[in-house]
Amino acid sequence: MLARAGSVARVLVVLIAVLSAAGRPQIAAAQAPKPASAASVREALDRYCVRCHNDRLRTAELALDTHDLADVGADAEIWERVILKLRARTMPPAGSPRPAEATYSAVASWLETEIDTVALASPDPGRGETFHRLNRAEYHAAVRDLLAVDVDVAELLPADDTYEHGFDNNGDVLSISPDLVGRYLSAARRISRLAVGIPPVGPAVATYRVHPGLVQDDRQHDLLSFGSRGGIAIPHYFPVDGEYTIRIRLHRNFSDYIIGYAAPQELDVRVDGALVERFAVGDADSVGQMAPLSFSGNIAGDPEWEYYMNTGDAHLEARFPAKAGRRTVGVSFVRRYSEPEGVLQPRNRGYGRFVDERYDEDAAVEQVAIGGPYAVAGPGDTPSRREIFVCRPELAAASGERADAPADERADATADGRADNRGGTGRHTIAEEETACAGRVLGRLARRAYRRPVDNGDVDALLDFYRAGRRDGGFDDGIQFALERMLVDPEFLFRIERDPEDAAPGTPYRLDDLELASRLSFFLWSSIPDDELLAAAAEGRLGDPAELERQTRRLLADGRSRALVDNFASQWLRLRNLESQERESADYPEFDENLREAFRRETELFVESSIREDRSLLELLSANYTYVNERLARHYGIPGVYGDRFRRVTLDPDHPRGGLLGHGGLLMVTSYPNRTSPVVRGKWLLETILGAPPPEPPPNVPGLPDRGEGGEPASVRERLERHRANPACAGCHAPMDPLGFALENFDAIGTWRADSEAGQPIDASATMPSGVAFEGPAGLRQVLLSRGEDFAAAVTDKLLAYALGRGLEYTDRPAVRRILRDAEADDYRWSSIVLGIVKSTPFQWRRSRSGAPVLVAGADGP
């Protein structure tokens, strides 16, 4: 029987390969290698690999001469390592005889087919954590979608660790400690009070700071007024309707002099665009004799001038009424249009920027403090209250709703209160009416918070907390206390996947529909399922492939799938590292925080448009467009772009900014503070773009010398060539450095250059160990696109690891290859990759625990 299953599986794998080739006949005819056999594979291994990887030398702990090709599936873990090296063309090492390209492809394909045949007959879906804690981003999104309250949880919860595969949603690192439990308790109280509209115990002050390196010469944000300059747009949550205060401090230099205070200026405070206050600032010339320029702090001006320059923003405080909820508080200057004349001086950077008073420049906002409430007018009408209070106690009697009604009946009753009238309004006490309404409110929310239908026991547990809160306050206080309990429930904080009671140890089983719904929503939204997805799961409809595909496409089209950019792409591309990058001001005086923010927005908008428009993954490399505002366009040398708004621009065919390779932010995160690094960039390309990470360097590797031989200036390339002269270093650097050399025309902040840091002309030519030669970003792009399947595999590999919330194992490789085979006919579009993941065995199935429970906190067993 097993032999028959294996035969059927082999036929299916071959049939899939044939159909894929038939769908693209020209490509297949041009690229299809000669079919391999066990004998030809053994011949190739003996000729090119066994000289190092034999039972005597065991290089890299690998002996290929002792492994039987008649049963490749039995040693799948070993052969998957071999396939990875063959696909990446990193073996044999530089200087050793290397097979032809057709041999590389034929051997790898034969090994893959043998492994996939066994995997199709006996799939191993892998096993993630049984208790998978929500990370901080998922917690934020879950709270937002559950209670319609958007709270900055970064100040409430610590950042999560990042797994070695690069994602902070990996269950292995999402442990929980007593300290974190305390933070969750505190966060639940804060969030539930904001959502319900319970007034704070007293006024509080939130301070928002503007980075001192941000140049405030233009409109700073889309949410600030047209005709404004500088400042900050603050998404601030007002807990209740009431009176609040705002206090503004302007930027100062090292001597505590307010910067740019010579001319009179106007500063606006707005809430959701409505003007709250307009302040007059500046005009220090009218106060007294100033200190000599650039001598402030050493030579004093008139006492009146000195006092004004230190305290001239003390009056920037206002009290104003605000409605409860999330509002945009805008603080910005009224822009004055002028054209500077004469010989313009370079803008101060680095140390000089913080010492000089920049007397004749523009003033800038340093921080904004919002305090309150100082007078409470009520909880207000907020989206969160409308989401929570689908009934009110005074309406419960009219609905005839009973407190002892079944939980699902209470949860699913319609919002207008017209439930099944079985008791009559006259037979209810006020307490019963309130409890009935509370049960309905909490049952509805618990269903979404726990991601499953709830029963009477679930709702009754919450009602106990409602009653405790109600004793010390009103109806709203009771609901708040019950919500606080809900937000710390393990079924909210964790995604729990339990083995079926009848599952044999170590066997695969299909997830139930509710677990699958949670996997799907946290994959695409980083959040909880919505009502439609939850209803489909509760009714058992996700087992229908057509329904599952419909739901997947719906979630992917929803705006919440922006989470794929914020939480997947930003970590996959290491864009999150951009925030911590620093640059030497002497080497890169043109770098500022405006450019850093523009770098981030460019890549985010580029990837988001690729997903939204369902483009091919390959277009991430080949695109002839990007997104820029005036600041970034000036940095890239793109003419005709003005203003702070980002827009899509089409590039000339030979423009170096096409695709991810030309994005300044990615070039910056793969550089050092004072220079470029072909090694770091090459390693990033191998890991991120080609999915073939190089081995870890040996210990005690000497650093790159600062200069060339004899202390002469030398380019990074020349110094690396000396470093690679060491045979111990050459093996790792040979496939890595050429990729980085091709990007050497971009400096450490992504500026195009012709000369290196040493003042020598850039040599951007490169040759891979395979003999493939190319030059510059354009040549590198063509090389990478010629290996488009490898790039698609690298993205799929990362996206599957992100979707599963665990690192991939060798048993997942057949699933990745099947996803790629299916997606190839659709040119590797995002939707085909996402649907392939959702339909895959690792996504829909799970392996039961193979042994007895491991009694260690955070452990889940093998």
Side-chain angles (χ1 to χ4, degrees), residues 349-414:
R349 303 290 180 183
Y351 177 75
R353 180 171 177 80
F354 299 100
V355 173
D356 193 348
E357 70 275 11
R358 291 178 275 157
Y359 192 56
D360 293 316
E361 293 187 19
D362 290 320
V365 174
E366 180 179 281
Q367 69 178 38
V368 177
I370 302 174
Y374 294 99
V376 177
D381 180 23
T382 62
S384 61
R385 285 182 61 82
R386 292 193 294 272
E387 180 68 26
I388 293 168
F389 294 109
V390 293
C391 65
R392 298 296 300 179
E394 58 270 21
L395 299 178
S399 73
E401 192 172 316
R402 285 170 32 192
D404 60 348
D408 280 342
E409 182 179 319
R410 287 182 257 164
D412 297 334
T414 54

Side-chain angles (χ1 to χ4, degrees), residues 538-675:
E539 295 166 11
R541 289 188 278 120
L542 295 186
D544 178 3
E547 176 65 12
L548 182 61
E549 178 173 341
R550 189 185 74 81
Q551 292 290 345
T552 301
R553 291 187 181 276
R554 183 179 67 83
L555 267 63
L556 192 57
D558 191 280
R560 282 169 284 189
S561 64
R562 161 76 196 216
L564 287 174
V565 178
D566 296 335
N567 301 327
F568 167 69
S570 65
Q571 294 185 82
W572 162 51
L573 297 173
R574 302 183 194 172
L575 192 63
R576 286 188 180 180
N577 296 353
L578 188 62
E579 203 65 31
S580 61
Q581 292 288 312
E582 298 295 339
R583 288 296 175 265
E584 297 288 348
S585 58
D587 297 324
Y588 304 101
E590 65 274 26
F591 179 73
D592 52 40
E593 292 303 309
N594 307 65
L595 188 59
R596 186 198 304 271
E597 175 63 16
F599 282 159
R600 182 183 65 80
R601 290 290 295 149
E602 174 193 24
T603 303
E604 289 178 345
L605 290 169
F606 178 76
V607 175
E608 184 177 16
S609 72
S610 179
I611 296 173
R612 285 273 170 268
E613 298 167 17
D614 196 19
R615 294 178 175 268
S616 168
L617 295 182
L618 304 185
E619 196 170 299
L620 293 174
L621 299 177
S622 65
N624 66 338
Y625 60 89
T626 191
Y627 288 81
V628 295
N629 64 356
E630 181 178 356
R631 177 68 183 89
L632 188 57
R634 186 168 68 247
H635 185 70
Y636 286 171
I638 299 175
V641 177
Y642 303 99
D644 66 302
R645 182 181 63 84
F646 277 80
R647 75 291 314 262
R648 180 166 165 168
V649 295
T650 301
L651 305 170
D652 294 333
D654 59 345
H655 202 286
R657 299 297 172 178
L660 291 173
L661 298 184
H663 283 210
L666 303 181
L667 294 163
M668 185 172 172
V669 299
T670 54
S671 299
Y672 290 131
N674 60 342
R675 66 169 176 84

Side-chain angles (χ1 to χ4, degrees), residues 302-358:
D302 287 349
E304 296 84 359
W305 184 87
E306 291 281 334
Y307 180 79
Y308 185 66
M309 288 294 288
N310 281 271
T311 64
D313 59 358
H315 67 294
L316 302 182
E317 184 169 4
R319 185 164 175 145
F320 62 96
K323 293 291 187 181
R326 190 179 180 89
R327 310 286 175 190
T328 299
V329 179
V331 178
S332 59
F333 294 90
V334 177
R335 186 170 185 176
R336 299 172 301 160
Y337 290 92
S338 61
E339 187 66 30
E341 296 179 340
V343 179
L344 302 182
Q345 298 299 310
R347 184 185 296 276
N348 272 334
R349 303 290 180 183
Y351 177 75
R353 180 171 177 80
F354 299 100
V355 173
D356 193 348
E357 70 275 11
R358 291 178 275 157

Side-chain angles (χ1 to χ4, degrees), residues 772-784:
V772 175
F774 53 95
E775 183 170 0
L780 175 60
R781 186 177 296 110
Q782 292 306 312
V783 168
L784 296 178

Side-chain angles (χ1 to χ4, degrees), residues 222-225 232-238 241 246 268-277 320-331 370 381-383:
D222 289 342
L223 296 177
L224 294 174
S225 303
I232 181 175
I234 303 167
H236 182 79
Y237 200 95
F238 294 94
D241 290 355
I246 187 167
D268 284 354
V269 176
R270 297 176 182 270
V271 176
D272 285 346
L275 184 64
V276 170
E277 191 74 41
F320 62 96
K323 293 291 187 181
R326 190 179 180 89
R327 310 286 175 190
T328 299
V329 179
V331 178
I370 302 174
D381 180 23
T382 62

Side-chain angles (χ1 to χ4, degrees), residues 382-463:
T382 62
S384 61
R385 285 182 61 82
R386 292 193 294 272
E387 180 68 26
I388 293 168
F389 294 109
V390 293
C391 65
R392 298 296 300 179
E394 58 270 21
L395 299 178
S399 73
E401 192 172 316
R402 285 170 32 192
D404 60 348
D408 280 342
E409 182 179 319
R410 287 182 257 164
D412 297 334
T414 54
D416 62 6
R418 293 192 298 270
D420 180 20
N421 188 342
R422 293 169 293 177
T425 61
R427 296 164 58 185
H428 287 294
T429 66
I430 294 177
E432 289 174 333
E433 295 164 8
E434 289 189 350
T435 303
C437 181
R440 180 178 169 202
V441 167
L442 297 174
R444 175 178 172 275
L445 293 173
R447 181 175 184 269
R448 296 197 59 207
Y450 303 158
R451 283 91 74 181
R452 59 170 176 79
V454 294
D455 55 28
N456 286 338
D458 296 312
V459 178
D460 289 343
L462 295 171
L463 284 175

Side-chain angles (χ1 to χ4, degrees), residues 848-862:
S848 62
R849 187 191 302 276
S850 59
V854 180
L855 301 179
V856 177
D860 188 47

